[in-house]
Amino acid sequence: MLSFTANQAKTQFGELMTKAQREAVTITKNGRPAVVVIPVEEYEDYEELKLAVLRDKLAHSLAQAKKGQLHDGDATFDELMKDL
């Protein structure tokens, strides 16, 4: 994965965008990874995957409720929210 320092990202923003349109780019701050810039298609795929996981968990929870297997609604909600 390509890497830019925060300063390089600031001064070479155009190059960062060009490279990030093709592959993920890590931006480091104080020598540590701080953020990753990814192509919009990868971001959209990631968001779709997260939504699919949430839908599956919600469907499982609803199926349990229909079977009379009651469970803590707050715990279920907390479980869903941690995946966001």
Side-chain angles (χ1 to χ4, degrees):
M1 181 181 316
L2 295 174
S3 182
F4 280 67
T5 65
N7 191 48
Q8 287 172 319
K10 184 170 45 173
T11 61
Q12 301 170 19
F13 189 71
E15 182 181 351
L16 169 66
M17 283 189 60
T18 299
K19 292 187 183 289
Q21 288 173 340
R22 290 189 220 98
E23 64 181 297
V25 177
T26 300
I27 299 175
T28 61
K29 187 170 184 177
N30 299 323
R32 296 179 161 210
V35 297
V36 175
V37 182
I38 60 173
V40 70
E41 295 83 8
E42 285 185 37
Y43 174 75
E44 289 169 347
D45 290 346
Y46 173 73
E47 288 297 309
E48 285 179 29
L49 180 61
K50 280 187 2 182
L51 187 55
V53 168
L54 289 174
R55 284 183 178 140
D56 287 346
K57 286 185 177 187
L58 184 57
H60 177 71
S61 180
L62 291 172
Q64 284 181 316
K66 284 182 182 179
K67 291 178 187 175
Q69 298 171 334
L70 298 180
H71 48 280
D72 184 346
D74 287 337
T76 300
F77 183 76
D78 290 344
E79 180 72 21
L80 291 172
M81 293 304 294
K82 81 174 188 176
D83 291 328
L84 289 181

